[in-house]
Amino acid sequence: LSESGEKYIFKVFPFTANSHRNLPKLAPPKLQLQTDGKLHLDVFQYDMNYPSLGQCVVINNKNFHKKTGMGVRNGTEKDEGNVEETFSNLGFKIKICNDQTVSQMRDLLTRVSKEDHSKSSMFACVLLSHGEDGRIFGTDDCIELKELFALFRGDRCRSLVGKPKLFFIQACRGSGLDAGVESDYDTEEETQKIPVEADFLYIYATAPGYCAWRNSANGSWFIISLCEMLSKYSKRLDMETDYSSSCPAQYDGKKQIPCIAYMLTKKLYFSK
């Protein structure tokens, strides 16, 4: 008898130890899977099983037009050589362009973004130049970094959708100096859509508003530490935590630590 006064009749069937053998067997539900790439067993790690690791575009600006007020970036050739050796050893195809104007930088990266990257695991770009917060200098003027980054968004560079897009920026982001501070601590059936800004990793040489140090003989602290970490630990390096915690720098009491904007959706290791 229900709470509304309605009567229900239930039939009770005897259940024995072998009753389950007479029950109908239900087939598991069929799931329709859709994918635009090869099956990858580790869904939490980017797929490196492509014919090529990908391109690494290096823009190295050393000399600047007088109107910019920017001086010669002595030592940047050491960074270029270090980047070329390290990223080549990882498996990247290197493309180096020196002393690029703003127009040339924009045109170069536009062309690269329109290329077919379907046989590549990822894309990398290293920018070596003067900079301000949010902007980087060509030899004749400066340009917003976001304008260059946007060329590789998912809605503009389809062959890199779902793949890592790495940008490493060796440039000042202001004129501030970090004096440091003492610490008491020890050291489904529908096609899946992803954000157009997904799968990007931006690693800046320094935090917003601060200088990025460069040695005229040995190159910049940021590139030296980056290449060292990639060379030693690329197969197990976590770019979000391991890198930033391992390479703070100091000079004459001043500090520098890289700044990472992490929008990767999986773990990234540079090995197949």
Side-chain angles (χ1 to χ4, degrees):
L1 186 67
S2 71
E3 291 192 28
S4 62
E6 296 175 304
K7 294 182 179 180
Y8 295 91
I9 298 175
F10 296 92
K11 289 185 178 181
V12 179
F13 296 91
F15 186 84
T16 66
N18 295 322
S19 295
H20 67 282
R21 295 180 179 177
N22 298 322
L23 297 175
K25 293 184 178 180
L26 300 177
K30 294 183 179 179
L31 300 178
Q32 183 178 355
L33 302 178
Q34 295 185 355
T35 178
D36 293 328
K38 298 180 285 296
L39 181 64
H40 187 48
L41 297 180
D42 189 348
V43 296
F44 301 107
Q45 181 176 329
Y46 283 107
D47 185 4
M48 296 290 104
N49 293 309
Y50 286 85
S52 170
L53 185 62
Q55 282 192 64
C56 175
V57 175
V58 182
I59 297 178
N60 180 21
N61 293 336
K62 178 178 181 179
N63 304 290
F64 298 83
H65 195 281
K66 189 176 297 184
K67 70 177 182 179
T68 64
M70 296 294 159
V72 177
R73 297 183 62 254
N74 293 314
T76 191
E77 61 277 359
K78 296 289 293 186
D79 285 344
E80 178 186 310
N82 209 353
V83 167
E84 182 177 15
E85 179 180 2
T86 300
F87 282 75
S88 293
N89 289 339
L90 288 175
F92 284 98
K93 297 178 181 177
I94 310 297
K95 179 183 292 184
I96 297 177
C97 298
N98 291 290
D99 287 346
Q100 299 288 288
T101 64
V102 164
S103 178
Q104 289 172 327
M105 293 169 66
R106 184 190 296 110
D107 291 346
L108 168 64
L109 292 179
T110 298
R111 289 195 305 271
V112 173
S113 70
K114 293 181 179 179
E115 293 176 6
D116 182 8
H117 301 270
S118 60
K119 295 183 178 180
S120 299
S121 299
M122 65 178 76
F123 170 75
C125 179
V126 181
L127 302 174
L128 311 171
S129 189
H130 285 301
E132 299 172 351
D133 198 14
R135 296 186 292 180
I136 193 163
F137 275 85
T139 57
D140 61 338
D141 203 352
C142 61
I143 184 174
E144 294 280 343
L145 280 165
K146 64 183 180 181
E147 181 180 342
L148 301 178
F149 299 157
L151 296 170
F152 296 88
R153 289 184 0 166
D155 56 348
R156 300 177 69 176
C157 184
R158 297 293 301 169
S159 58
L160 282 174
V161 169
K163 300 177 181 180
K165 294 163 279 286
L166 317 179
F167 288 86
F168 305 92
I169 304 97
Q170 166 56 36
C172 287
R173 305 180 72 186
S175 57
L177 302 177
D178 187 347
V181 63
E182 291 187 3
S183 172
D184 293 328
Y185 292 99
D186 296 327
T187 30
E188 297 196 6
E189 293 187 3
E190 296 180 359
T191 302
Q192 183 182 12
K193 288 187 176 182
I194 62 174
V196 295
E197 300 284 359
D199 304 299
F200 278 89
L201 174 66
Y202 309 104
I203 303 185
Y204 298 86
T206 189
Y210 288 92
C211 289
W213 297 100
R214 171 174 35 84
N215 182 281
S216 59
N218 301 318
S220 65
W221 287 340
F222 170 61
I223 295 298
I224 291 172
S225 63
L226 172 67
C227 292
E228 182 179 352
M229 292 292 289
L230 288 177
S231 296
K232 290 183 177 179
Y233 309 113
S234 61
K235 294 183 179 180
R236 58 184 178 88
L237 178 67
D238 186 329
M239 297 299 291
E240 182 180 19
T241 56
D242 294 343
Y243 175 69
S244 61
S245 62
S246 302
C247 58
Q250 91 172 18
Y251 172 74
D252 195 23
K254 304 304 180 184
K255 307 290 185 178
Q256 178 183 323
I257 191 167
C259 180
I260 300 177
Y262 191 94
M263 288 179 281
L264 298 181
T265 56
K266 301 178 182 180
K267 291 292 184 181
L268 170 61
Y269 303 99
F270 295 92
S271 60
K272 293 187 176 183

